[in-house]
Structures are given as C-alpha cells and as structure tokens.
Amino acid sequence: IAQEKLEEVREKYSLPEEFVLYVGSIEERKNLLLLAKAIALLAKGECRAECLAENQRKKEIQVVAVGRHTPYVEEIQSFLKEQGIEHLFHFYHQVPYADLPSFYKWASTFAYPSRIEGFGIPLLEAISSGVPAIGCTGSCLEEAGGPNSIYVNPDDAKGMADAILRTCTDEPLRQHMISEGKKYALNFSDEKLSHDLMKVYENLSE
C-alpha cells in the first residue's frame, strides 16, 4: 500500500495513533463485548501482565471496530458508557473495501473474539498484513490465525486484556507473531491453494 493511501485513510477516519482493530459484523455471536470488557480492565490497570512496566500498564489502548451494525452495538455502547470509556472505542460502518487494507496496516494488533465462525477470514487478513492477531477458542479460528496467534476463552475478559497488552508492548513477541503469521498465511495463497487442489484431483484420478 502506498504511503499516500495510508495517510489518506488515517486522516479520513481520524484513526488513533495506536489501536486494536476489529473487522466483522457487529452482532452478538461476534462477541465484541468481550473486547469492550478487556479494554475496561486495561483502563483500570487490571490485567495479568505483571512483568510489564507500570507506565505501559497505564497506557490507554483504543479500539477501532469496522463492520455492519446491528442492535448489539447499543449493548456495547451502553457498557462503554457505564465504564466511562466511550472515548476508547471508535465504530465505523460501511467502510469501502479499498480503504480496509490501510486499517490493517495502521493497527497495533488485531482482535477477533467471535464465538462461532465458519473460518475467520479477518484473522487471516490480519496476519497476512503483518498484524499480531488474537482470536478465541471453541470455534475454528486456530485454522485461520495459525499456531503463532494468541487464543483466549470467549468469556475470559482478563485473558483478552492480557493478550492485548502483550501484543501491544512486548516487541520480541510482536515481531515473532508478525514473521510467523506471514509465513503461515502463505498456506492460503492462490498459488498454494491451486497446487493443493491439483494434488486432490491427481489423487482422485489414480
């Protein structure tokens, strides 16, 4: 992506300097409320990453959520208001597909707390873009995000908070997740998928 396009998108949407990205429809099964609860814990300094410096723990982490809105958004916004952290969440609806890659490039980390998925394309898009990714257990997200992404229980807000803080502040971990994630994503390239499909046809014809 050209730097000019990146800057254009950042200015157009007034994106925060650092943020956790979520991409997907904002409906109950996608479980975005878990991310809101994790951010609330981080805002209060409550997490399990005791090894991190105090100034890092206090740093406000913001969320950019991109996707189709449903009434579930109101539930999330109500929770954010109760916690006094509305300013840490930014909701975007109907973002053109051409702008979406820039969101991934600007993101510090990617979180996909969905409970039920057929595959989890946004996770794959994230690791392909070089973004450390966090998913949830209990569905099939491990296949999309690969073995070097982080997975937490879909009801574990503290686990999500800890994973977010680690991926945003632990630079060696970040670099490992980025490099290994890009390697894993190659398994889903058009060339690789075509090769695997041809192997299936060859085996069927034997």
Side-chain angles (χ1 to χ4, degrees):
I1 304 173
Q3 188 64 31
E4 184 179 350
K5 175 64 176 178
L6 289 171
E7 296 294 346
E8 174 194 321
V9 169
R10 164 156 276 179
E11 183 175 349
K12 178 179 177 181
Y13 298 97
S14 299
L15 295 179
E17 184 177 340
E18 296 181 49
F19 60 89
V20 177
L21 177 64
Y22 165 86
V23 175
S25 59
I26 303 175
E27 56 186 301
E28 191 166 359
R29 73 179 176 87
K30 297 287 189 176
N31 198 30
L32 189 59
L33 186 59
L34 178 72
L35 190 50
K37 291 177 178 178
I39 293 299
L41 291 174
L42 289 171
K44 297 173 185 175
E46 299 176 19
C47 65
R48 292 200 294 260
E50 292 86 3
C51 60
L52 294 172
E54 186 67 24
N55 64 330
Q56 291 177 320
R57 208 176 293 140
K58 288 180 177 178
K59 186 176 183 180
E60 286 192 327
I61 296 175
Q62 303 192 49
V63 172
V64 167
V66 180
R68 179 178 61 85
H69 288 191
T70 72
Y72 181 59
V73 173
E74 296 173 11
E75 182 180 343
I76 298 169
Q77 290 175 326
S78 177
F79 173 81
L80 296 172
K81 188 174 182 179
E82 289 172 5
Q83 299 294 316
I85 56 171
E86 310 101 298
H87 63 293
L88 298 180
F89 253 73
H90 310 270
F91 294 93
Y92 297 94
H93 181 46
Q94 294 183 329
V95 171
Y97 184 76
D99 290 349
L100 200 52
S102 296
F103 277 77
Y104 282 106
K105 286 295 185 182
W106 282 121
S108 301
T109 192
F110 181 83
Y112 200 58
S114 185
R115 294 181 182 277
I116 304 170
E117 287 298 321
F119 178 67
I121 291 293
L123 264 180
L124 179 57
E125 290 177 340
I127 63 173
S128 298
S129 301
V131 186
I134 305 164
C136 279
T137 58
S139 184
C140 57
L141 296 181
E142 287 93 339
E143 182 181 358
N148 290 285
S149 293
I150 296 176
Y151 303 94
V152 301
N153 184 290
D155 295 305
D156 185 2
K158 284 193 174 183
M160 176 61 76
D162 180 61
I164 290 170
L165 192 57
R166 289 174 61 207
T167 56
C168 285
T169 60
D170 186 336
E171 196 57 33
L173 174 66
R174 284 181 56 78
Q175 293 308 317
H176 177 74
M177 292 178 70
I178 289 170
S179 62
E180 294 303 314
K182 284 181 176 179
K183 290 177 188 176
Y184 181 78
L186 293 176
N187 290 314
F188 300 93
S189 66
D190 290 343
E191 182 180 348
K192 177 69 164 58
L193 291 176
S194 296
H195 174 76
D196 290 348
L197 185 59
M198 186 58 66
K199 282 291 184 183
V200 171
Y201 286 143
E202 288 175 356
N203 290 337
L204 288 175
S205 63
E206 290 177 357

